[in-house]
Structures are given as structure tokens and as C-alpha cells.
Amino acid sequence: MIDSFRAYTVSDPQYYDRVERSSEPGEFLELLQRRLAGKADTIDGGGVWARCLDRPLADLPEYGWKLHISARPDDLRAIVDAVIDEYEVEAFSFKCVRSPELGLAQLSRWWARGGAGKAVTVYPLSEAHARQLADRLSARLQGFQGSHVLTDRRYPGSDVVQYRYGTFRKPPGIDDDGRPSSVVTGPDGKPWNDSRSPSFTLPPWISADPFSDGSGTGDDPTGLLKRYRVTSVLRHSTAGGVYLAKGEDGAEYILKEARPHTAFAPDGSDAPTRLQREYDYLKQLEGTGVAPRAIEIAKVWEHTFLVQSKVPGITFQVWLSRNHPFATGVPDETYADRVKVILAQVRNALTTCLDRGVVYSDTSLTNILIDDTDTVHLVDFEACRPAGSDPAAYPRTSGFAPEPDTAAWASDAAYVAYAADAVEAATVMPRNALLAFRPEVFRRALETTARQLGTPLGDLPERLGLPIAAAGDTELLAEIARGLRNAATPDRKDRLFPGHPEQFRSNTLSIAYGAAGVLRVLKTLDGWVDPELTRWLTARLDEDRPLPMGLYVGRAGIATTLLELGMDDRGLLASATTEALALDKPAGVATGLAGVGLARISAYRTTGEQSHLDQARTLADRLIDRAADDGTGLWWPVERHPLGFLYGSSGVAVFLTELGSLLEDKALVTLGRRALAFDLSRGRIRANGGLGFGAYAEGIAFEPYLIRGGSGVGMAVAHHLRMTGDESLVKPLRSIVRGVAMPFTVNPGLFSGMSGLIEFLLDSQAVLPAEEDFLDLAVNRLFEQVLALRCVDESGTGFPGDGLMRQSCDVASGSAGVAMMLHRLQTGGETLDVRYGRPMGVLSHAG
């Protein structure tokens, strides 16, 4: 998750935002305007791109052969100039990154692998035109080097010009989550998905690559990949992969791959340069026992591979998830002693490296391995630096490295001591991303967790240089509302409230991630929504951009919000229902038929119009027709079987039960119970004796969340028990409560955090009065944890979103979702969430 969020932390120090907002308008957009004004049909900027078209966009082919030009950061300006020179010789349509900063970012580890390295994209009009332009550009750019674009093949004779077959314009469609679809209709009339996966593929109507000269890209003169057979992929990034391999001796080894001209560090080094450094550092540390053994390093094609011994054990992150008393739910008197032994080894390993002249500057929970005997080893030495060097010139892990201009920054010994202290803090509370973002909040949360855990911190906060957080928040909900309103940006068209990065991948209007959800919460908190904010929402709807149908991500939820705010739903609910019934759509609450059905129930309760219930019944009938039953319960065919409320059978069960109760239809309620049975049958007993669930039926790891896992299943169980009085559910609900009621999770939010756990426990409290003392304790501990994560400043109060790297305002992960839970705690009322088809109570006219 951290890597996928990294791009959204570049532009704003407080909120997640688009990476391109760090560079406006952009040096290369200004260059195009200066050199080609009056010579091009269109010059504009959008996203990370500056675009120059020699004709209207609609006159370009929908798809075809296109060219990509890669560039090293130092060469980017020269390459853009050369492309403009060629344009002036004979025009063609192209786009380039808007600025050098975005060009560098596009080569980062965290950039999407399929799009990394595409500094310039050229749109030929035909295959012959593609060949002509490729020849011209290859000749012009002779001598330049750039990364291999993973979706492409290199054009023969060039190190930077590459090609693939793909779409020229974004297809107008979207998928069920609201993300742009890459499916187009081919010349044969059949759909084709231009998925942009990181491999060269051809559409079915292209039988052969017309540009290939037959030369391979897998030259291996060293024979390395014959001596070591890859057995599994451990991870991939733009910079390369990490693989598990078996050697000729039968032993297991780790293969690390580095792709040239990617992942540039401040000192200018790229991934292969640093992999060579890792090999050298491992040789330097040979015999110390703290690091893997370096076996060999070799170049295969243009990629560099390092072979090293496989270190036994699991990452410290996984170790904590399996051993931290708050993660297992089981008190463990040995935990503190084991942690002391492990921390002593971590400190010794870092000091040993320093004694050998190596500053281990990539300390993190994933780079520390612990074996079955609690023995520690370090891995991933590519970001290390020589003793006495400038730490600013080398990569480092945020949350484990000291900040510049601090005392720990100025000394190698203090630098690694700080890293060890940060690891120590993680053994109490693994929220180190927050340490770099809001250190005062990290301190408050650390002290809260240590008190609950019964672990003395000593002078650890002072060793980490943590400031004391301001108290504030005498009127917490009012301050959250003030923070939400002050964060609003009605002057921006792309989003109203800063939130989870998913809003940029999907849409910025939805209940889960966008404006509609926050507006509902503001209305509830103090009864008022600024008309300017509702006008922003309706203005975006007037643009008629495609939106998915779903309750949490699309039209059904937005329609629910409009009705609750006393407005017309603009036909959104009708169109969502039509789509749900006409097409093969998912079943679940988040994106599918059950969610649209719950929206219909909510609309009935808001307006009193019987037609909404009639439509909900039609949706239920469609769900029943499509259901499968493997003997354990009802489920709806998907590639994987998600468990929980938003995507699993549990959410469908809630819809069927809620509707059946409203219609007094026992058959629907029975089917709801049958759907619930499917998810319940996938529960497994946890170490603390409680019932736990994975995110998927096939999953191994336990997930306690609303979005997938235990809380989501438990909510459905509590709902069915409340609606029917089915006493057979009391025992499993108690077991789920015990399995889910952890003292904390990492994030504070609703979907994947503690607010969702509290919502589930409050649902359970309403139907399990005998559990009141235990539930009160569990809720209070989680409430303390959520409150400890509040971010207070002059604009109001907010909360960090998922990943803890920036704040979010949305319902799914941010302040709005936390506020819904806090409002429920304060008032003792119903949930404000839409998950049971119940609108905000003050506006309800029926039911």
C-alpha cells in the first residue's frame, strides 16, 4: 500500500493529491507553447502530460501502433527539444511529460510498471507512418539511452524509441469501480482489453510484429538464468524484481534484478548502480552474520542480476502481525522479553555494518528478517552508503530515518541509533509512516498504545525527538466539521475534498471516496451544507461524465445523497437500476445489485414512494436468479470469493434481510440467512479463540475490517439477528466479536480501520447485552486509539487516511468516516452509514 500511495504525497504536505499538481504548468508545456504556438492544432496540458496535436483529437485513429521515447533525467530536455525539431520538419501528434520533475517521478519505484519510462508518446496515423516516424526519431536520438518500457519493444537500432499497439484515446467506458476501462471494439467487432500490463502484447487482429528484426531481448552470455531457476516472484517494481530461485546445487537463492535508467537516487545513481553497490557491501560484510552472502552478479540482456543466499525467516512486519499481543488478541508475557532480544540484535547488526564502513540507511520492518529462533538478519543493502557520506544523497526509508537538520542526521552513529529507536517504537505501535508525517501525533498514539499494552516507553519519545501534541478538541465533532469545510476546494474541478487516492482512480463524487459522502456527514454534524458545495456536486453531474452504478462508488450513492439533502436525484437511481438489471453486474453492496437495492430502500424511507420498494424487489429477484449454492450458502460467481460486507455474500444477505423485513416476506429473509451462511462457513478459529475471516474465501491472513473480513461479516450477522431474533446467530456473533475486537489496527478509518471495527462492535452491542462489559472495554480502547490519531491545526481537526502518510476527508478512510462513528458514539443512535439502506434519521419520512 505504501508504494501505491507514494505518488500522492509529492504535491501536498498535508493531504493526498495528484502528483502532477507538484508541477504547474510545467517547463515542457511552456516549451511547447513557446516553440510551436501557431504551428499546432492543439497545445494543452492534462494530468502529467503536455500535449501537441497536429490535428483534432477526433481525427486520430482510435487505436494503432504508437511510439514511446524513454529518457534518462539528464537527457530529458534534449530529447523533448529533438522531438520538437522533428515536428517542425514534418508535423505529427505527440505528448510529453510536463516537467523534468514528473519525468524523474515516472522512473521511480512506485510508478505503475506499465507506464514507467514513457517520457514521450507519438501517435502515428498508420503502420507505415509509425515506421517512418520511428526511423526519423531513431536517427535524431542516436546515442541517447533510456529505460525499457515494459509494455513495448525497442525499435531496431534505437535505445530510446520503442513501440506497442494500443489505444490512442481513453475509451469512454468505465468498470464497476468507476476506473476507466481499456476495452475497445476491434475491427473484427470483438472487444479487446488494452490492459497496459507490463508485457508486450498484440491484439487478436494483428498476427505478427511488423517492426521486429528477430533479435532477442533475453541474451544471457553468463548463463546465470540457466544456473538459477526462478521458482517464484517475491515482488516487482519499476526498478526490477526480486525472485526466489533454485540453484544447481538444489539450494534456494534470492535473485535481485535491476533495470537500467530507473529509480534514480539523489546522487544520480540508478537501480543497477545501486545493485552493484549492494554486491560490494555484502562482500564487505561477509563473515559478520548480519547479511546475506553475495554469490555473484551478472548482466542478462541489459538487466543486472545479483544472486545472494536466502536468509531464513519472515519480515519483522509479519512477525509483529503474528506475535504482537494486540494483533493476536492474546496476552503474551513473553512478548516484551522477545522484543528486547530482537532489538538488541537489530542494534548490533546496524553497529556491525557501521564498524565495517557501511551505513545501513534502509532500515524498515520489511528489511529485517527474523527466523524461528528469533535470530535477526538484515536484507536489501542497495540503499546503503559509505560511512562519512552525505545522507541526503542516498535513498532512505521514511519513518525510520531521521529528518534533515536534526542531531541524528549529522552523525552516522546517531543516524543508525535513530533507526533502531524507530524499530523499537514499531514493536509498540507499527505506524512509522506517521512518524515522518505528523511526529506529534505519532507520539500521542505511541503513548496511548504503550499505556494500553502496559509497556514503559522510558525516554524513547525523547530519543526520537518527538514533540508533544497540542490538546485541543474541546468540541471534537465541531472541529472535525470545521476541518472538513476548510479543506474544501470548490475552485477546483477535479475534486471537492482531499481524500483517499482512490477518488482519482475512480471518481471524486462518490459516497465512499468523494464529495457526496462528506456532504452527507456535514449535514448530519450540524444541519448545514454550504450551497457552494452542493453546486459543485451538481455542476460535476452536469458534465455528464460516466459514473458506475454502485452505492459506495457511483450513481446509486450519489442519488441517495441528493435525496437526503432535499434535492432531486436527477434520474441517477433510475439509471443505476436499469444498468443493474440489464447487464451482468456484480452482486455486492459496494459496486453491485445489492448496493443499488439498498439505495432504493433508502429512497423509499426518504420519500415514502412505493415504487422504490418495487424496484428493490426486482433487484432482489435478479440476485436470487443468479445465485449459486455449493452446499454452504448462497454466493455469486466472481474470480475470487470476497468475504465481508462490501463485496461478499454478507452484504447481499443484509439487503435481502432488510427488504424481506420491510415487505414481510419470510422467503427473502430466509434467502438472506442462506447468503450469510456462505461467509460464516469460511470463518476460522483464531489464537484467542475467536472467529476470524480472511479477505477472500481462499485467503490465509485474517482481516478484521469492514471492507473485507471479520467486521463486515459480523455486521451482517448482527443485522440478521436484530431483524429476525435468530438465536442461532448469538454464538457465532460472540465468537466474531472476540476474533475482531483488537485494541487497535493501523488506520483510523471506516473501511479498513478502527472506525469500522467500532461500528461493528456498536451493532453487536445492540443485540448482545450480556456482552456489554466486554464490548464497552473494546470500544473504549479503540476510541482512545482513534482519538490519539487526530491531527489538530488552525484549520480544524482531521485524521490521517489509509497509509498514514497524509490526511483524508472522505468517508472510506478519512475524517468524515471517523466523524460518523464519533457521532454515533456521542448520540447512541443508529449508524450514519448507508449500509442498511437507512437514510439520515432527521430526513426520513417513512419506515
Side-chain angles (χ1 to χ4, degrees):
M1 175 184 289
I2 293 297
D3 279 349
S4 66
F5 280 32
R6 190 76 64 188
Y8 298 92
T9 66
V10 174
S11 299
D12 190 303
Q14 185 173 6
Y15 295 108
Y16 291 116
D17 208 344
R18 298 177 186 272
V19 64
E20 58 264 28
R21 290 187 65 85
S22 65
S23 177
E24 289 203 1
E27 177 182 328
F28 297 141
L29 176 57
E30 293 175 336
L31 178 64
L32 291 178
Q33 291 168 336
R34 188 166 61 251
R35 289 194 58 184
L36 297 180
K39 301 177 183 178
D41 179 84
T42 301
I43 297 176
D44 61 15
V48 301
W49 301 106
R51 191 172 59 164
C52 175
L53 304 181
D54 71 331
R55 65 196 65 219
L57 179 63
D59 291 346
L60 287 174
E62 186 179 3
Y63 43 75
W65 292 104
K66 55 185 181 180
L67 308 177
H68 293 118
I69 301 173
S70 58
R72 291 176 54 86
D74 291 346
D75 299 331
L76 187 54
R77 171 60 189 260
I79 283 178
V80 173
D81 268 325
V83 171
I84 295 174
D85 290 344
E86 284 297 315
Y87 182 95
E88 292 183 315
V89 172
E90 185 178 337
F92 51 87
S93 293
F94 72 94
K95 66 181 180 181
C96 63
V97 288
R98 282 200 287 110
S99 71
E101 295 79 14
L102 290 171
L104 178 62
Q106 209 185 35
L107 296 168
S108 300
R109 288 182 182 278
W110 42 259
W111 201 270
R113 293 173 66 222
K118 298 176 181 179
V120 179
T121 302
V122 178
Y123 300 101
L125 300 176
S126 65
E127 180 184 313
H129 192 214
R131 187 182 299 277
Q132 176 195 7
L133 287 172
D135 287 338
R136 286 171 55 191
L137 291 166
S138 295
R140 171 75 70 162
L141 299 173
Q142 197 70 30
F144 285 104
Q145 292 184 316
S147 64
H148 172 221
V149 177
L150 293 175
T151 57
D152 292 28
R153 284 178 177 166
R154 291 196 189 279
Y155 192 72
S158 178
D159 287 330
V160 295
V161 178
Q162 301 168 62
Y163 63 92
R164 69 180 292 261
Y165 198 97
T167 52
F168 285 20
R169 306 188 292 272
K170 284 184 179 179
I174 54 173
D175 65 16
D176 296 319
D177 288 303
R179 298 181 179 185
S181 169
S182 297
V183 177
V184 297
T185 301
D188 56 0
K190 296 178 181 178
W192 170 60
N193 182 15
D194 181 16
S195 67
R196 290 168 172 77
S197 59
S199 61
F200 182 83
T201 58
L202 294 174
W205 61 87
I206 301 292
S207 59
D209 176 357
F211 306 114
S212 174
D213 62 0
S215 61
T217 57
D219 298 337
D220 182 13
T222 68
L224 182 137
L225 295 183
K226 293 180 180 178
R227 294 193 299 280
Y228 301 95
R229 180 174 56 86
V230 172
T231 56
S232 64
V233 178
L234 301 181
R235 66 176 181 270
H236 266 142
S237 76
T238 292
V242 180
Y243 311 93
L244 184 64
K246 184 163 287 190
E248 292 176 315
D249 59 357
E252 287 190 316
Y253 295 88
I254 298 296
L255 262 64
K256 297 188 68 175
E257 173 194 31
R259 298 179 58 232
H261 318 305
T262 63
F264 287 87
D267 69 341
S269 63
D270 65 356
T273 301
R274 290 194 302 281
L275 196 62
Q276 179 64 53
R277 290 177 185 172
E278 177 165 13
Y279 176 82
D280 296 339
Y281 288 136
L282 293 181
K283 286 295 186 182
Q284 208 168 322
L285 292 166
E286 207 164 82
T288 63
V290 303
R293 288 186 300 110
I295 308 300
E296 61 177 302
I297 190 167
K299 196 170 183 179
V300 178
W301 185 46
E302 61 181 34
H303 296 191
T304 302
F305 284 87
L306 167 63
V307 183
Q308 56 185 233
S309 62
K310 182 180 180 294
V311 174
I314 55 178
T315 69
F316 205 172
Q317 185 177 51
V318 173
W319 189 93
L320 287 171
S321 72
R322 295 179 182 177
N323 292 282
H324 193 295
F326 284 2
T328 63
V330 180
D332 184 356
E333 295 180 358
T334 69
Y335 177 76
D337 290 336
R338 293 178 71 190
V339 162
K340 286 180 182 177
V341 171
I342 290 169
L343 288 174
Q345 292 180 74
V346 170
R347 295 182 190 281
N348 177 68
L350 295 175
T351 302
T352 298
C353 291
L354 191 56
D355 290 343
R356 292 286 182 103
V358 179
V359 180
Y360 187 82
S361 53
D362 200 15
T363 304
S364 72
L365 296 182
T366 56
N367 287 344
I368 299 169
L369 297 189
I370 303 173
D371 68 15
D372 292 340
T373 65
D374 285 352
T375 300
V376 166
H377 295 88
L378 303 178
V379 295
D380 284 353
F381 283 74
E382 63 191 72
C384 293
R385 59 184 176 86
S389 59
D390 179 6
Y394 293 83
R396 56 191 182 276
T397 304
S398 179
F400 292 88
E403 292 299 306
D405 302 322
T406 61
W409 184 265
S411 156
D412 290 340
Y415 190 99
V416 297
Y418 180 96
D421 291 338
V423 173
E424 181 178 345
T427 66
V428 178
M429 179 195 73
R431 292 180 174 135
N432 286 61
L434 189 63
L435 174 57
F437 170 46
R438 294 291 292 258
E440 80 285 2
V441 176
F442 183 87
R443 177 171 187 156
R444 187 199 296 124
L446 179 67
E447 291 173 344
T448 297
T449 307
R451 176 170 44 79
Q452 291 184 351
L453 192 59
T455 298
L457 291 176
D459 64 345
L460 179 60
E462 286 70 34
R463 280 185 274 137
L464 287 169
L466 299 177
I468 296 175
D473 297 335
T474 54
E475 296 290 338
L476 180 58
L477 286 174
E479 284 298 291
I480 293 174
R482 188 167 73 89
L484 290 171
R485 290 189 170 102
N486 282 330
T489 55
D491 56 311
R492 284 177 60 168
K493 287 188 176 183
D494 62 328
R495 62 108 160 113
L496 182 58
F497 295 98
H500 195 291
E502 181 61 29
Q503 72 170 323
F504 297 123
R505 301 169 188 148
S506 175
N507 69 86
T508 60
L509 311 184
S510 69
I511 278 186
Y513 304 107
V518 182
L519 294 180
R520 287 185 78 246
V521 170
L522 287 174
K523 177 72 174 180
T524 304
L525 292 182
D526 55 23
W528 180 73
V529 176
D530 187 334
E532 184 181 21
L533 304 185
T534 56
R535 282 195 297 271
W536 185 95
L537 178 60
T538 56
R540 300 292 78 74
L541 292 171
D542 286 340
E543 293 169 356
D544 203 27
R545 296 180 182 179
L547 293 167
M549 70 182 196
L551 176 63
Y552 279 97
V553 297
R555 281 170 279 147
I558 297 167
T560 298
T561 299
L562 293 173
L563 291 173
E564 291 180 353
L565 295 177
M567 303 167 67
D568 181 81
D569 85 335
R570 305 166 70 94
L572 295 175
L573 196 47
S575 68
T577 305
T578 299
E579 182 177 334
L581 294 172
L583 301 175
D584 184 19
K585 290 294 179 180
V589 166
T591 62
L593 276 73
V596 178
L598 288 171
R600 282 290 187 178
I601 293 174
S602 177
Y604 163 72
R605 286 177 164 143
T606 299
T607 67
E609 296 176 10
Q610 179 65 30
S611 61
H612 291 300
L613 276 190
D614 296 339
Q615 290 294 314
R617 177 64 208 229
T618 303
L619 288 161
D621 290 341
R622 178 60 59 86
L623 277 168
I624 294 164
D625 289 344
R626 290 175 49 197
D629 193 333
D630 64 354
T632 61
L634 296 182
W635 57 279
W636 284 262
V638 288
E639 187 175 344
R640 301 173 74 187
H641 287 76
L643 301 179
F645 190 84
L646 292 189
Y647 296 95
S649 290
S650 293
V652 183
V654 164
F655 166 55
L656 295 176
T657 302
E658 188 78 24
L659 181 62
S661 299
L662 267 174
L663 298 176
E664 299 182 350
D665 185 328
K666 292 183 179 179
L668 275 182
V669 174
T670 299
L671 288 167
R673 179 66 178 84
R674 191 68 186 148
L676 183 58
F678 178 86
D679 278 10
L680 267 178
S681 70
R682 270 62 185 178
R684 293 172 285 130
I685 299 300
R686 303 196 63 180
N688 68 353
L691 195 61
F693 297 83
Y696 297 92
E698 305 84 359
I700 297 175
F702 290 108
E703 298 281 357
Y705 304 117
L706 185 161
I707 188 169
R708 291 186 180 92
S711 287
V713 177
M715 284 175 172
V717 174
H719 175 265
H720 198 88
L721 177 57
R722 178 180 178 181
M723 301 301 290
T724 67
D726 182 353
E727 293 189 359
S728 69
L729 293 173
V730 170
K731 184 176 179 180
L733 180 58
R734 283 177 171 156
S735 187
I736 296 170
V737 166
R738 189 156 300 278
V740 166
M742 301 294 104
F744 81 90
T745 65
V746 171
N747 299 310
L750 183 68
F751 279 14
S752 301
M754 294 180 289
S755 291
L757 271 65
I758 292 174
E759 287 271 0
F760 160 58
L761 294 176
L762 293 176
D763 284 357
S764 300
Q765 201 166 38
V767 293
L768 293 177
E771 304 290 321
E772 186 174 339
D773 290 345
F774 172 76
L775 284 166
D776 279 345
L777 175 62
V779 168
N780 287 338
R781 287 190 306 190
L782 285 165
F783 169 73
E784 280 189 327
Q785 286 284 344
V786 171
L787 202 61
L789 292 172
R790 67 195 186 278
C791 301
V792 182
D793 58 33
E794 65 278 358
S795 66
T797 293
F799 288 85
D802 289 353
L804 305 181
M805 301 167 74
R806 293 293 185 271
Q807 288 175 226
S808 287
C809 294
D810 62 89
V811 164
S813 70
S815 304
V818 174
M820 290 199 311
M821 177 275 294
L822 294 173
H823 183 274
R824 185 180 183 187
L825 271 179
Q826 187 178 88
T827 63
E830 295 279 336
T831 180
L832 301 179
D833 191 16
V834 295
R835 63 179 178 267
Y836 303 134
R838 297 169 192 162
M840 295 181 291
V842 294
L843 297 174
S844 182
H845 298 141

